[in-house]
Amino acid sequence: MIRKVPQDFLLGAALSAYQMEGAAGTDGREPSVWDAWLARPGSGYDGRAASDFYHHFEEDIAAAAAHGLRALTLSLSWSRILRANGTVNPDGLAFYDRVIDACRAHGVEPFVALYHFDLPDAYAREGWLAPGTTEAYLRYARVVFQHFGDRVRHFLTMKDPVTEITQGYITGLFPPGQHFALGRAVRALYKMLVAHAQAVLLYKSLSLGGSIGIAHRAEGVYPLRETKADLQAARRDDVLTNRMLLDIVLAGRMSLRTRSLIGEILPDGESFATNDEELEVLGRAAAALDFFGVNYYASHFCTKPTDGTSRITHNGVGERGTSAYEIAGISRRLSREDVPTTDWDWNIFPRGLYEMLLRLHEEYRAIPIYVTETGLGLHEHPTDSVLEDDDRIDYLRQHLAAVLDAMEDGVDVRGLFVWSLIDGLSWTNGYDKRYGLFYVDYATGSRFPKKSADWLRDLAERRLMLTLNAIHTRTTKSASDEN
Ligand code: BGP
């Protein structure tokens, strides 16, 4: 079947500061929590040089434009812009001025995220729970809005807070490296979402005329089998994976059901407090939000945990079948035999994206949606500057088809950004898991387009793509169907 991508549907790609910029000690940038985290003995890689976007941004943005991409999502580095002593680093602002000017010169719309996992180093021990994070974030947000607000029409307050929180407080794979601290995870996520809401209201109070959103990694959460126990596991997994954030960000309040599910996953004796002032801010910010970003890579199939022990085995090297994920009292995630997986054990399940888009549409207020990240990580070894990444093309085609299906069914999706424009650092996997449309040779800094970049250029020009199958046959119940 031939599908048509609407002419006004934005095709773009995504980048993040820490994963691509490098230049970690240049022009007054101060350390972020990731610098110390990846400097621990045995980590095996770090972000000091990354893809050196800092010195290659002109070339990378020009290449994106030449391949038909009309938009880029990029994050700014807080520690390049605001120093620990509270003063502004003009060289940090000047770098992003050059990046944004290059986007504009090439007709590429910048979607600027204030924040993507890289807290300043002062918060290394406690992460977002450290005192003063929200105040510092809002100071930083004000600097960014006031400086770039005349040229940037789309801001994101933050990207992917749920991943940051689950990896930081549950799996221990991100700083601050805590394990199975469910109560802290819930409180830290809530704190981040209140900060997000305050940033939305701050932006609106400045009347800059652009729009503001947030990106959430919206992974589908399904029961592995249609049993009561698996449905319960999926519901409990979903409340932290999606439901708490969606309620707060899109509805401005947590439903009673959401609160009761949070109660089910909190450890005995731990509670979760909110106050009226915060709730008022959340409500106003949800009503003022201009768009919602969906990052989608995979979904999860949940079953009942085996016993009272939590276990995480991280497959950080791409050896298929080596991962385990089980949180006592919540869920055990398993793969499904009929669903293919990547070398890193991420299932490839475009229907999860379709169903997530429908869930947002059916359960929350209508708001424009962008798929702010989707893509496939691969081991890649080019020969003579040629890389035939057909698996990535297939992945992108299937996920774009899922988006088009959702649009046909009434969901207002405005665009899709491929993760990522260029290869970069994968937070917990290093440099061997590549996502780029453009290959980066880390030894020389040179880049070249992969076959997927050429495929995307043809798609952008002709707006036609071949889809293999209709995605949206519903055969599986998701956690949200149950409520
Ligand atoms: C998202 C992050 C991205 C990117 C992506 C791929 O959650 O927002 O920054 O890293 O995941 O993940 P990974 O690099 O772990 O494969």
Side-chain angles (χ1 to χ4, degrees), residues 16 19 116-117 159-160 163 217 295 297 346 373 419 425-429 433 435:
S16 94
Q19 292 173 280
H116 189 154
F117 302 167
K159 287 190 85 180
D160 210 354
T163 298
R217 177 146 154 188
N295 296 353
Y297 294 87
W346 292 21
E373 285 182 23
W419 182 265
L425 177 150
S426 169
W427 305 98
T428 62
N429 313 286
K433 189 180 189 186
Y435 279 92

Side-chain angles (χ1 to χ4, degrees), residues 82-98:
L82 196 68
R83 302 186 184 107
N85 67 10
T87 60
V88 173
N89 172 16
D91 292 340
L93 291 176
F95 167 63
Y96 293 114
D97 279 336
R98 296 195 293 277

Side-chain angles (χ1 to χ4, degrees), residues 53-118:
F53 180 73
Y54 200 86
H55 298 108
H56 289 262
F57 69 88
E58 297 265 12
E59 170 191 349
D60 291 336
I61 293 168
H67 282 74
L69 301 183
R70 301 212 316 259
L72 284 178
T73 298
L74 48 102
S75 72
L76 310 183
S77 156
W78 178 343
S79 0
R80 266 192 211 291
I81 293 179
L82 196 68
R83 302 186 184 107
N85 67 10
T87 60
V88 173
N89 172 16
D91 292 340
L93 291 176
F95 167 63
Y96 293 114
D97 279 336
R98 296 195 293 277
V99 171
I100 287 160
D101 288 349
C103 285
R104 288 159 60 85
H106 287 285
V108 170
E109 183 68 24
F111 280 56
V112 172
L114 260 51
Y115 175 72
H116 189 154
F117 302 167
D118 48 352

Side-chain angles (χ1 to χ4, degrees), residues 123-204:
Y123 310 114
R125 261 172 59 92
E126 290 178 79
W128 272 88
L129 288 175
T133 41
T134 304
E135 294 73 12
Y137 167 75
L138 292 173
R139 266 203 307 282
Y140 160 63
R142 182 181 288 277
V143 171
V144 170
F145 294 151
Q146 286 178 331
H147 188 83
F148 300 105
D150 57 338
R151 288 155 290 157
V152 171
R153 312 317 290 155
H154 298 88
F155 284 104
L156 293 130
T157 56
M158 48 184 71
K159 287 190 85 180
D160 210 354
V162 168
T163 298
E164 179 174 349
I165 292 307
T166 46
Q167 302 278 51
Y169 295 93
I170 297 177
T171 67
L173 294 166
F174 278 19
Q178 300 180 11
H179 295 271
F180 310 121
L182 257 302
R184 301 185 125 241
V186 168
R187 287 193 292 277
L189 179 60
Y190 180 70
K191 194 172 176 205
M192 284 185 85
L193 297 178
V194 173
H196 144 82
Q198 288 171 317
V200 169
L201 297 181
L202 170 64
Y203 180 70
K204 292 290 171 183

